[in-house]
Amino acid sequence: MKKKINRQFTLITVFSIIITTLVMAVIFYSRLKTQVFSDLDIISSLLIRQDGNIAESLTDHNDMGVRITLVEENGGVLYDSLMDADSMENHFGRPEIKAAFEKGYGQEIRTSDTLSKNVFYYAVRMEDGKVLRVGKEYASVLSVMISAFPAMLGTVFLLIIICMAAAHYLAAAIIEPIDSMARDLNHIEESEIYEELVPFARKIRSQHEEILSAANMRRDFTANVSHELKTPLAAISGYAELIETGVAKEKDVKHFSTEIRRSTERLLNLINDILKLSKLDAGYNNEMMEMTDLSAVAGHTVEMVSVSADKMGVSLFFQGCEAAEIRMGKELAEEVTYNLIENAIRYNKKGGKVFVSVSEKDNGILFKVSDTGIGIGAEHQERIFERFYRVDKSRSKELGGTGLGLAIVKHICDLTEGKIEIESDLEKGTTVAVFWNGGH
Protein backbone atom coordinates (compact mmCIF):
# COMPACT_ATOMS: atom_id res chain seq x y z
CA MET A 1 0.00 0.00 0.00
CA LYS A 2 2.88 2.37 0.78
CA LYS A 3 4.36 1.80 -2.70
CA LYS A 4 0.99 2.46 -4.27
CA ILE A 5 0.56 5.73 -2.37
CA ASN A 6 4.13 6.80 -3.25
CA ARG A 7 3.55 6.01 -6.90
CA GLN A 8 0.27 7.87 -7.00
CA PHE A 9 1.72 10.92 -5.25
CA THR A 10 4.63 10.97 -7.72
CA LEU A 11 2.35 10.64 -10.75
CA ILE A 12 0.10 13.41 -9.43
CA THR A 13 3.16 15.62 -8.90
CA VAL A 14 4.56 15.07 -12.42
CA PHE A 15 1.13 15.55 -13.96
CA SER A 16 0.60 18.75 -11.95
CA ILE A 17 3.99 20.15 -12.99
CA ILE A 18 3.33 19.46 -16.68
CA ILE A 19 -0.19 20.90 -16.58
CA THR A 20 1.02 23.95 -14.63
CA THR A 21 3.81 24.58 -17.15
CA LEU A 22 1.44 24.33 -20.11
CA VAL A 23 -1.20 26.53 -18.48
CA MET A 24 1.40 29.14 -17.54
CA ALA A 25 2.77 29.11 -21.10
CA VAL A 26 -0.73 29.68 -22.50
CA ILE A 27 -1.41 32.48 -20.02
CA PHE A 28 1.96 34.10 -20.69
CA TYR A 29 1.43 33.94 -24.46
CA SER A 30 -2.08 35.38 -24.15
CA ARG A 31 -0.85 38.26 -22.01
CA LEU A 32 2.08 38.85 -24.37
CA LYS A 33 -0.20 38.97 -27.40
CA THR A 34 -2.54 41.45 -25.73
CA GLN A 35 0.36 43.67 -24.66
CA VAL A 36 2.09 43.60 -28.06
CA PHE A 37 -1.04 44.53 -29.99
CA SER A 38 -1.73 47.30 -27.46
CA ASP A 39 1.79 48.67 -27.99
CA LEU A 40 1.46 48.46 -31.78
CA ASP A 41 -1.86 50.29 -31.57
CA ILE A 42 -0.20 53.10 -29.62
CA ILE A 43 2.71 53.30 -32.07
CA SER A 44 0.38 53.45 -35.08
CA SER A 45 -1.66 56.20 -33.41
CA LEU A 46 1.49 58.25 -32.78
CA LEU A 47 2.58 57.87 -36.40
CA ILE A 48 -0.79 58.86 -37.78
CA ARG A 49 -0.84 62.08 -35.70
CA GLN A 50 2.45 63.28 -37.23
CA ASP A 51 2.14 66.43 -39.32
CA GLY A 52 3.21 66.72 -42.93
CA ASN A 53 3.78 64.05 -45.55
CA ILE A 54 3.11 60.59 -43.99
CA ALA A 55 5.85 58.90 -46.02
CA GLU A 56 8.45 61.40 -44.84
CA SER A 57 7.16 61.06 -41.29
CA LEU A 58 7.50 57.24 -41.43
CA THR A 59 11.06 57.63 -42.72
CA ASP A 60 11.91 59.75 -39.72
CA HIS A 61 10.58 57.02 -37.37
CA ASN A 62 12.07 53.90 -38.91
CA ASP A 63 14.35 53.54 -35.89
CA MET A 64 11.54 52.59 -33.47
CA GLY A 65 12.33 48.87 -33.65
CA VAL A 66 9.17 48.06 -35.57
CA ARG A 67 8.44 47.39 -39.21
CA ILE A 68 6.30 50.13 -40.73
CA THR A 69 4.35 49.61 -43.94
CA LEU A 70 2.02 52.03 -45.79
CA VAL A 71 -0.50 50.45 -48.18
CA GLU A 72 -2.69 52.36 -50.62
CA GLU A 73 -6.34 51.58 -51.27
CA ASN A 74 -5.68 49.11 -54.07
CA GLY A 75 -3.21 47.10 -51.94
CA GLY A 76 -0.06 48.52 -53.43
CA VAL A 77 2.80 49.21 -51.03
CA LEU A 78 3.76 52.85 -50.82
CA TYR A 79 6.39 52.48 -48.08
CA ASP A 80 8.08 49.76 -46.06
CA SER A 81 10.79 50.38 -43.47
CA LEU A 82 12.64 47.12 -44.23
CA MET A 83 12.21 46.53 -47.94
CA ASP A 84 11.98 48.43 -51.21
CA ALA A 85 8.29 49.22 -51.70
CA ASP A 86 8.50 48.94 -55.50
CA SER A 87 9.69 45.32 -55.28
CA MET A 88 6.98 44.22 -52.90
CA GLU A 89 3.85 42.36 -54.05
CA ASN A 90 0.31 43.62 -53.60
CA HIS A 91 -0.78 43.41 -49.89
CA PHE A 92 -4.53 43.60 -50.35
CA GLY A 93 -4.92 39.87 -49.59
CA ARG A 94 -3.01 39.98 -46.32
CA PRO A 95 -5.47 39.21 -43.46
CA GLU A 96 -4.59 42.25 -41.33
CA ILE A 97 -4.69 44.61 -44.38
CA LYS A 98 -7.98 43.21 -45.59
CA ALA A 99 -9.54 43.51 -42.12
CA ALA A 100 -8.32 47.10 -41.82
CA PHE A 101 -9.96 48.07 -45.12
CA GLU A 102 -13.21 46.37 -44.07
CA LYS A 103 -13.62 47.40 -40.41
CA GLY A 104 -10.94 49.99 -39.72
CA TYR A 105 -8.28 47.81 -38.10
CA GLY A 106 -6.82 44.32 -38.30
CA GLN A 107 -4.27 42.18 -36.53
CA GLU A 108 -2.42 38.99 -37.39
CA ILE A 109 0.40 36.82 -36.06
CA ARG A 110 2.65 34.98 -38.50
CA THR A 111 5.39 32.56 -37.62
CA SER A 112 8.68 32.53 -39.46
CA ASP A 113 9.81 29.41 -41.31
CA THR A 114 12.39 28.61 -38.62
CA LEU A 115 9.73 28.72 -35.83
CA SER A 116 12.07 30.89 -33.82
CA LYS A 117 10.18 34.17 -34.31
CA ASN A 118 6.59 35.35 -34.24
CA VAL A 119 5.75 38.54 -36.13
CA PHE A 120 2.83 40.54 -34.72
CA TYR A 121 1.12 42.79 -37.29
CA TYR A 122 -1.35 45.57 -36.50
CA ALA A 123 -3.00 47.52 -39.33
CA VAL A 124 -5.25 50.59 -39.15
CA ARG A 125 -7.09 52.52 -41.89
CA MET A 126 -6.32 56.22 -42.00
CA GLU A 127 -8.69 59.06 -42.91
CA ASP A 128 -7.37 59.26 -46.45
CA GLY A 129 -8.22 55.56 -47.06
CA LYS A 130 -4.69 54.25 -46.87
CA VAL A 131 -3.70 51.55 -44.35
CA LEU A 132 -0.80 51.91 -41.95
CA ARG A 133 0.64 48.61 -40.71
CA VAL A 134 3.20 48.19 -37.96
CA GLY A 135 4.85 44.89 -37.06
CA LYS A 136 7.23 43.65 -34.43
CA GLU A 137 9.12 40.38 -33.98
CA TYR A 138 9.12 38.39 -30.74
CA ALA A 139 10.57 35.04 -29.87
CA SER A 140 7.90 32.31 -30.17
CA VAL A 141 6.63 30.51 -27.13
CA LEU A 142 8.02 27.25 -28.52
CA SER A 143 11.49 28.73 -28.90
CA VAL A 144 11.31 30.16 -25.38
CA MET A 145 10.30 26.79 -24.00
CA ILE A 146 13.03 25.00 -25.95
CA SER A 147 15.66 27.41 -24.68
CA ALA A 148 14.35 27.02 -21.13
CA PHE A 149 14.01 23.23 -21.40
CA PRO A 150 17.25 22.32 -19.55
CA ALA A 151 16.33 24.55 -16.62
CA MET A 152 12.75 23.28 -16.66
CA LEU A 153 13.95 19.67 -16.79
CA GLY A 154 16.26 20.23 -13.84
CA THR A 155 13.44 21.89 -11.90
CA VAL A 156 11.09 19.01 -12.70
CA PHE A 157 13.61 16.43 -11.46
CA LEU A 158 14.21 18.43 -8.31
CA LEU A 159 10.50 18.74 -7.66
CA ILE A 160 9.99 15.02 -8.30
CA ILE A 161 12.72 14.14 -5.79
CA ILE A 162 11.22 16.50 -3.22
CA CYS A 163 7.73 15.15 -3.83
CA MET A 164 8.90 11.52 -3.66
CA ALA A 165 10.47 12.22 -0.28
CA ALA A 166 7.31 13.99 0.86
CA ALA A 167 5.17 11.15 -0.53
CA HIS A 168 7.26 8.59 1.33
CA TYR A 169 6.84 10.51 4.56
CA LEU A 170 3.12 11.11 4.04
CA ALA A 171 2.49 7.47 3.07
CA ALA A 172 4.24 6.30 6.23
CA ALA A 173 2.24 8.79 8.29
CA ILE A 174 -1.02 7.68 6.67
CA ILE A 175 -0.33 3.96 7.02
CA GLU A 176 1.07 4.06 10.56
CA PRO A 177 -2.33 4.34 12.34
CA ILE A 178 -3.62 1.44 10.23
CA ASP A 179 -0.52 -0.65 11.01
CA SER A 180 -0.93 0.21 14.68
CA MET A 181 -4.53 -0.93 14.56
CA ALA A 182 -3.60 -4.17 12.79
CA ARG A 183 -0.86 -4.93 15.32
CA ASP A 184 -3.22 -4.69 18.28
CA LEU A 185 -6.92 -5.08 17.49
CA ASN A 186 -7.72 -5.63 21.15
CA HIS A 187 -6.84 -2.03 22.12
CA ILE A 188 -8.08 0.04 19.17
CA GLU A 189 -9.80 2.46 21.52
CA GLU A 190 -6.41 3.42 22.95
CA SER A 191 -4.65 3.61 19.56
CA GLU A 192 -4.37 6.83 17.57
CA ILE A 193 -6.30 5.71 14.50
CA TYR A 194 -8.62 7.53 12.13
CA GLU A 195 -12.06 8.12 13.55
CA GLU A 196 -13.62 6.86 10.31
CA LEU A 197 -11.86 3.50 10.75
CA VAL A 198 -13.09 2.83 14.28
CA PRO A 199 -16.35 1.06 13.19
CA PHE A 200 -14.38 -0.95 10.63
CA ALA A 201 -11.76 -1.85 13.25
CA ARG A 202 -14.44 -2.91 15.70
CA LYS A 203 -16.03 -5.10 13.04
CA ILE A 204 -12.67 -6.68 12.24
CA ARG A 205 -11.98 -7.26 15.93
CA SER A 206 -15.42 -8.80 16.39
CA GLN A 207 -14.90 -11.12 13.43
CA HIS A 208 -11.42 -11.95 14.69
CA GLU A 209 -12.83 -12.86 18.10
CA GLU A 210 -15.57 -14.92 16.45
CA ILE A 211 -13.00 -16.80 14.36
CA LEU A 212 -10.86 -17.49 17.42
CA SER A 213 -13.91 -18.53 19.38
CA ALA A 214 -15.04 -20.84 16.57
CA ALA A 215 -11.55 -22.31 16.32
CA ASN A 216 -11.47 -22.92 20.07
CA MET A 217 -14.93 -24.45 19.93
CA ARG A 218 -13.89 -26.77 17.09
CA ARG A 219 -10.78 -27.76 19.00
CA ASP A 220 -12.72 -28.37 22.19
CA PHE A 221 -15.45 -30.16 20.28
CA THR A 222 -12.93 -32.47 18.63
CA ALA A 223 -11.26 -33.19 21.96
CA ASN A 224 -14.61 -33.81 23.66
CA VAL A 225 -15.86 -36.05 20.86
CA SER A 226 -12.65 -38.08 20.98
CA HIS A 227 -12.96 -38.44 24.75
CA GLU A 228 -16.67 -39.27 24.68
CA LEU A 229 -16.18 -41.87 21.94
CA LYS A 230 -13.16 -43.37 23.63
CA THR A 231 -14.93 -44.08 26.93
CA PRO A 232 -17.72 -46.40 25.65
CA LEU A 233 -15.42 -47.96 23.07
CA ALA A 234 -12.90 -48.79 25.78
CA ALA A 235 -15.65 -50.36 27.89
CA ILE A 236 -16.97 -52.38 24.95
CA SER A 237 -13.46 -53.54 24.04
CA GLY A 238 -12.59 -54.43 27.64
CA TYR A 239 -15.72 -56.45 28.36
CA ALA A 240 -15.55 -58.18 24.97
CA GLU A 241 -11.92 -59.13 25.57
CA LEU A 242 -12.78 -60.64 28.97
CA ILE A 243 -15.53 -62.70 27.41
CA GLU A 244 -13.36 -63.68 24.42
CA THR A 245 -10.40 -64.87 26.51
CA GLY A 246 -12.63 -66.83 28.85
CA VAL A 247 -11.50 -64.86 31.87
CA ALA A 248 -15.09 -63.85 32.63
CA LYS A 249 -17.02 -66.37 34.65
CA GLU A 250 -20.34 -67.59 33.36
CA LYS A 251 -22.24 -65.59 35.98
CA ASP A 252 -20.41 -62.40 34.85
CA VAL A 253 -21.12 -62.81 31.14
CA LYS A 254 -24.66 -61.46 31.48
CA HIS A 255 -23.41 -58.44 33.42
CA PHE A 256 -20.65 -57.79 30.85
CA SER A 257 -23.14 -58.14 28.00
CA THR A 258 -25.41 -55.61 29.68
CA GLU A 259 -22.52 -53.15 30.04
CA ILE A 260 -21.57 -53.69 26.40
CA ARG A 261 -25.17 -52.94 25.37
CA ARG A 262 -25.29 -49.80 27.51
CA SER A 263 -21.97 -48.56 26.12
CA THR A 264 -23.18 -49.30 22.61
CA GLU A 265 -26.39 -47.36 23.20
CA ARG A 266 -24.39 -44.49 24.64
CA LEU A 267 -22.08 -44.58 21.64
CA LEU A 268 -24.99 -44.62 19.20
CA ASN A 269 -26.72 -41.76 21.02
CA LEU A 270 -23.53 -39.73 20.90
CA ILE A 271 -23.02 -40.36 17.20
CA ASN A 272 -26.65 -39.50 16.45
CA ASP A 273 -26.38 -36.24 18.40
CA ILE A 274 -23.15 -35.32 16.59
CA LEU A 275 -24.83 -36.00 13.25
CA LYS A 276 -27.79 -33.85 14.29
CA LEU A 277 -25.50 -30.97 15.21
CA SER A 278 -23.63 -31.31 11.92
CA LYS A 279 -26.93 -31.20 10.07
CA LEU A 280 -27.99 -28.11 12.02
CA ASP A 281 -24.64 -26.44 11.31
CA ALA A 282 -25.29 -26.97 7.60
CA GLY A 283 -28.63 -25.15 8.00
CA TYR A 284 -32.17 -25.98 7.01
CA ASN A 285 -33.81 -24.84 3.79
CA ASN A 286 -37.29 -23.36 3.62
CA GLU A 287 -38.81 -26.61 2.39
CA MET A 288 -37.80 -28.32 5.66
CA MET A 289 -39.39 -25.53 7.71
CA GLU A 290 -43.03 -26.47 7.09
CA MET A 291 -45.77 -25.52 9.52
CA THR A 292 -46.05 -27.98 12.41
CA ASP A 293 -48.54 -28.43 15.25
CA LEU A 294 -46.21 -28.09 18.25
CA SER A 295 -48.91 -29.16 20.68
CA ALA A 296 -49.43 -32.47 18.88
CA VAL A 297 -45.67 -33.09 18.66
CA ALA A 298 -45.20 -32.34 22.39
CA GLY A 299 -48.10 -34.64 23.32
CA HIS A 300 -46.60 -37.46 21.27
CA THR A 301 -43.19 -36.90 22.90
CA VAL A 302 -44.74 -37.10 26.37
CA GLU A 303 -46.27 -40.47 25.49
CA MET A 304 -42.93 -41.67 24.07
CA VAL A 305 -40.89 -40.83 27.20
CA SER A 306 -43.53 -41.96 29.69
CA VAL A 307 -41.85 -45.36 30.00
CA SER A 308 -38.52 -43.86 31.07
CA ALA A 309 -40.41 -41.50 33.41
CA ASP A 310 -42.07 -44.48 35.10
CA LYS A 311 -38.68 -46.16 35.56
CA MET A 312 -37.35 -43.01 37.24
CA GLY A 313 -40.49 -42.71 39.37
CA VAL A 314 -41.33 -39.32 37.80
CA SER A 315 -44.88 -38.17 37.08
CA LEU A 316 -45.58 -36.48 33.75
CA PHE A 317 -48.28 -33.84 33.19
CA PHE A 318 -49.13 -32.32 29.81
CA GLN A 319 -51.36 -29.44 28.81
CA GLY A 320 -51.67 -28.54 25.14
CA CYS A 321 -53.69 -26.09 23.07
CA GLU A 322 -55.36 -25.96 19.70
CA ALA A 323 -53.85 -24.38 16.60
CA ALA A 324 -50.30 -24.27 18.00
CA GLU A 325 -48.87 -24.01 14.48
CA ILE A 326 -45.22 -23.00 14.16
CA ARG A 327 -42.84 -22.92 11.20
CA MET A 328 -39.99 -25.21 12.22
CA GLY A 329 -40.63 -28.66 10.75
CA LYS A 330 -41.74 -31.77 12.60
CA GLU A 331 -38.21 -33.18 12.90
CA LEU A 332 -36.89 -30.07 14.65
CA ALA A 333 -39.98 -29.83 16.86
CA GLU A 334 -39.43 -33.42 18.00
CA GLU A 335 -35.78 -32.65 18.83
CA VAL A 336 -36.70 -29.64 20.97
CA THR A 337 -39.52 -31.32 22.85
CA TYR A 338 -37.71 -34.64 23.36
CA ASN A 339 -34.44 -33.16 24.64
CA LEU A 340 -36.09 -30.76 27.08
CA ILE A 341 -38.59 -33.31 28.45
CA GLU A 342 -35.97 -36.08 28.63
CA ASN A 343 -33.59 -33.78 30.56
CA ALA A 344 -36.37 -32.86 32.99
CA ILE A 345 -36.93 -36.58 33.67
CA ARG A 346 -33.27 -37.58 33.78
CA TYR A 347 -32.22 -34.92 36.30
CA ASN A 348 -35.28 -35.22 38.50
CA LYS A 349 -35.76 -36.85 41.89
CA LYS A 350 -37.59 -40.08 42.60
CA GLY A 351 -41.23 -39.16 43.03
CA GLY A 352 -40.64 -35.87 41.21
CA LYS A 353 -42.90 -34.21 38.68
CA VAL A 354 -42.50 -32.80 35.17
CA PHE A 355 -45.03 -30.31 33.76
CA VAL A 356 -45.12 -29.84 29.97
CA SER A 357 -47.30 -27.19 28.34
CA VAL A 358 -47.89 -25.59 24.95
CA SER A 359 -49.88 -22.35 24.94
CA GLU A 360 -50.60 -19.19 22.98
CA LYS A 361 -49.00 -16.03 24.32
CA ASP A 362 -48.63 -12.52 22.87
CA ASN A 363 -49.53 -13.69 19.35
CA GLY A 364 -46.92 -16.45 19.58
CA ILE A 365 -46.40 -19.99 20.83
CA LEU A 366 -44.88 -20.77 24.24
CA PHE A 367 -43.44 -24.22 25.02
CA LYS A 368 -42.58 -24.75 28.70
CA VAL A 369 -41.06 -27.65 30.62
CA SER A 370 -40.91 -27.41 34.43
CA ASP A 371 -39.59 -30.04 36.83
CA THR A 372 -39.07 -30.51 40.56
CA GLY A 373 -35.58 -31.96 40.12
CA ILE A 374 -32.09 -31.18 41.35
CA GLY A 375 -31.91 -27.75 39.71
CA ILE A 376 -28.95 -25.92 38.18
CA GLY A 377 -26.60 -23.54 39.96
CA ALA A 378 -26.52 -19.92 38.82
CA GLU A 379 -22.85 -20.24 37.79
CA HIS A 380 -23.76 -23.00 35.32
CA GLN A 381 -26.91 -21.56 33.76
CA GLU A 382 -25.11 -19.46 31.13
CA ARG A 383 -23.04 -22.42 29.91
CA ILE A 384 -25.48 -25.31 29.87
CA PHE A 385 -26.20 -24.74 26.15
CA GLU A 386 -22.54 -25.28 25.24
CA ARG A 387 -21.62 -28.53 23.55
CA PHE A 388 -20.50 -31.27 25.97
CA TYR A 389 -20.94 -29.00 28.97
CA ARG A 390 -22.20 -30.90 32.00
CA VAL A 391 -23.09 -29.55 35.43
CA ASP A 392 -22.48 -32.94 37.08
CA LYS A 393 -20.32 -35.07 34.77
CA SER A 394 -20.52 -38.24 36.88
CA ARG A 395 -24.33 -38.07 37.10
CA SER A 396 -24.64 -37.31 33.38
CA LYS A 397 -22.55 -40.31 32.38
CA GLU A 398 -24.39 -42.51 34.87
CA LEU A 399 -27.71 -41.47 33.36
CA GLY A 400 -26.45 -41.79 29.80
CA GLY A 401 -26.41 -38.13 28.77
CA THR A 402 -24.22 -37.08 25.86
CA GLY A 403 -23.90 -33.39 26.81
CA LEU A 404 -25.28 -32.34 23.41
CA GLY A 405 -29.04 -32.24 23.99
CA LEU A 406 -29.32 -28.62 25.13
CA ALA A 407 -26.81 -27.53 22.47
CA ILE A 408 -29.10 -29.06 19.85
CA VAL A 409 -32.11 -27.25 21.35
CA LYS A 410 -30.27 -23.90 21.36
CA HIS A 411 -29.14 -24.39 17.77
CA ILE A 412 -32.70 -25.13 16.64
CA CYS A 413 -34.01 -22.08 18.49
CA ASP A 414 -31.45 -19.90 16.71
CA LEU A 415 -32.47 -21.34 13.33
CA THR A 416 -36.20 -20.84 13.96
CA GLU A 417 -35.87 -17.46 15.72
CA GLY A 418 -37.05 -18.91 19.02
CA LYS A 419 -36.19 -17.26 22.31
CA ILE A 420 -35.14 -19.66 25.06
CA GLU A 421 -35.04 -18.80 28.77
CA ILE A 422 -34.16 -20.83 31.85
CA GLU A 423 -34.99 -20.41 35.52
CA SER A 424 -33.60 -22.78 38.12
CA ASP A 425 -32.94 -23.17 41.84
CA LEU A 426 -30.82 -25.89 43.36
CA GLU A 427 -32.85 -28.75 44.84
CA LYS A 428 -36.08 -26.97 43.81
CA GLY A 429 -36.31 -27.53 40.10
CA THR A 430 -35.87 -26.01 36.67
CA THR A 431 -38.14 -24.32 34.13
CA VAL A 432 -37.14 -24.00 30.48
CA ALA A 433 -39.37 -21.86 28.25
CA VAL A 434 -39.11 -21.37 24.48
CA PHE A 435 -41.14 -18.66 22.76
CA TRP A 436 -41.71 -18.27 19.03
CA ASN A 437 -43.16 -14.91 18.01
CA GLY A 438 -46.03 -15.05 15.52
CA GLY A 439 -45.80 -18.80 15.35
CA HIS A 440 -49.31 -19.44 14.05
Side-chain angles (χ1 to χ4, degrees):
M1 187 173 181
K2 288 183 180 179
K3 291 182 178 179
K4 186 175 181 180
I5 294 176
N6 283 329
R7 184 168 59 251
Q8 290 180 345
F9 273 152
T10 303
L11 289 176
I12 291 172
T13 300
V14 174
F15 180 77
S16 300
I17 292 172
I18 293 174
I19 293 299
T20 302
T21 303
L22 294 176
V23 170
M24 291 302 295
V26 171
I27 294 174
F28 170 76
Y29 183 73
S30 176
R31 295 294 299 273
L32 174 65
K33 183 171 67 173
T34 302
Q35 185 62 44
V36 169
F37 282 128
S38 176
D39 292 344
L40 293 179
D41 180 39
I42 294 173
I43 292 174
S44 61
S45 299
L46 290 173
L47 292 173
I48 292 173
R49 285 201 296 268
Q50 295 294 324
D51 297 330
N53 187 285
I54 184 65
E56 293 179 359
S57 175
L58 294 177
T59 304
D60 295 336
H61 293 83
N62 60 6
D63 58 348
M64 298 178 64
V66 296
R67 181 179 182 181
I68 303 173
T69 306
L70 183 63
V71 180
E72 58 184 343
E73 295 181 24
N74 62 1
V77 178
L78 295 174
Y79 172 80
D80 188 90
S81 61
L82 297 182
M83 297 182 65
D84 182 13
D86 295 333
S87 63
M88 296 176 68
E89 61 182 12
N90 190 286
H91 275 39
F92 190 82
R94 301 293 173 90
E96 68 278 7
I97 302 295
K98 187 175 182 181
F101 279 124
E102 292 177 354
K103 59 181 183 179
Y105 74 96
Q107 57 189 32
E108 180 71 12
I109 302 173
R110 283 195 283 277
T111 305
S112 66
D113 296 337
T114 61
L115 297 180
S116 60
K117 295 286 185 180
N118 280 339
V119 183
F120 291 75
Y121 289 108
Y122 183 82
V124 60
R125 188 180 64 213
M126 298 186 296
E127 293 181 357
D128 59 2
K130 298 183 180 66
V131 170
L132 176 66
R133 185 186 72 176
V134 292
K136 188 170 181 63
E137 290 184 350
Y138 285 91
S140 66
V141 174
L142 180 60
S143 64
V144 172
M145 292 183 65
I146 292 175
S147 62
F149 182 76
M152 291 175 59
L153 188 62
T155 303
V156 168
F157 278 129
L158 180 61
L159 289 174
I160 290 176
I161 292 172
I162 294 173
C163 290
M164 287 180 65
H168 180 77
Y169 172 78
L170 290 174
I174 292 172
I175 296 298
E176 175 55 30
I178 300 175
D179 288 341
S180 176
M181 177 188 71
R183 286 193 297 267
D184 189 4
L185 285 174
N186 294 324
H187 300 88
I188 60 171
E189 305 294 343
E190 302 172 7
S191 304
E192 294 183 1
I193 64 172
Y194 302 115
E195 182 180 351
E196 295 79 4
L197 289 179
V198 171
F200 174 73
R202 288 174 179 166
K203 182 66 175 178
I204 293 295
R205 184 179 64 182
S206 175
Q207 292 178 345
H208 178 69
E209 291 174 351
E210 290 176 2
I211 291 171
L212 290 179
S213 176
N216 292 332
M217 288 180 61
R218 284 195 298 269
R219 184 178 64 250
D220 294 342
F221 182 74
T222 302
N224 288 327
V225 167
S226 301
H227 177 74
E228 295 295 333
L229 291 174
K230 184 178 180 180
T231 302
L233 284 174
I236 293 170
S237 177
Y239 288 129
E241 184 179 357
L242 290 174
I243 296 173
E244 181 185 23
T245 57
V247 175
K249 297 178 181 180
E250 185 175 350
K251 64 177 181 179
D252 295 326
V253 171
K254 183 178 180 180
H255 170 69
F256 290 168
S257 299
T258 301
E259 293 300 324
I260 290 174
R261 180 183 57 78
R262 288 178 178 175
S263 296
T264 303
E265 289 178 355
R266 181 182 173 189
L267 189 61
L268 288 173
N269 289 335
L270 180 61
I271 292 173
N272 287 333
D273 284 348
I274 292 173
L275 291 175
K276 291 172 186 176
L277 278 174
S278 298
K279 191 174 182 180
L280 290 172
D281 286 336
Y284 273 70
N285 54 42
N286 292 330
E287 294 179 358
M288 301 178 72
M289 294 289 189
E290 73 274 7
M291 298 298 291
T292 303
D293 186 350
L294 186 62
S295 183
V297 173
H300 176 72
T301 303
V302 168
E303 293 178 3
M304 184 173 59
V305 299
S306 60
V307 176
S308 61
D310 291 339
K311 289 181 180 180
M312 295 283 295
V314 175
S315 301
L316 272 174
F317 301 91
F318 172 69
Q319 181 179 359
C321 70
E322 296 182 1
E325 295 285 329
I326 185 171
R327 186 176 296 280
M328 70 182 305
K330 185 177 181 181
E331 181 182 352
L332 298 184
E334 289 175 347
E335 287 293 335
V336 171
T337 56
Y338 176 81
N339 280 293
L340 292 180
I341 298 173
E342 181 68 16
N343 271 5
I345 296 171
R346 182 179 294 136
Y347 298 102
N348 214 314
K349 302 173 184 177
K350 192 170 183 64
K353 299 177 181 180
V354 174
F355 301 92
V356 180
S357 67
V358 179
S359 59
E360 296 184 63
K361 180 182 178 182
D362 300 331
N363 196 34
I365 301 299
L366 177 65
F367 173 65
K368 184 188 295 185
V369 179
S370 300
D371 64 63
T372 58
I374 61 176
I376 304 170
E379 70 275 14
H380 299 290
Q381 292 180 18
E382 292 185 359
R383 299 193 59 191
I384 59 173
F385 296 107
E386 296 179 10
R387 301 178 183 188
F388 292 111
Y389 185 80
R390 295 184 177 92
V391 176
D392 187 342
K393 294 184 179 180
S394 60
R395 182 179 176 89
S396 296
K397 292 181 179 179
E398 180 184 344
L399 297 174
T402 63
L404 295 175
L406 290 179
I408 292 173
V409 172
K410 182 64 168 63
H411 211 324
I412 293 174
C413 289
D414 291 339
L415 285 175
T416 57
E417 299 181 358
K419 183 180 179 181
I420 186 168
E421 295 181 350
I422 184 168
E423 294 180 5
S424 184
D425 292 314
L426 285 174
E427 303 303 327
K428 292 184 179 180
T430 302
T431 297
V432 180
V434 186
F435 177 74
W436 287 273
N437 187 30
H440 65 292

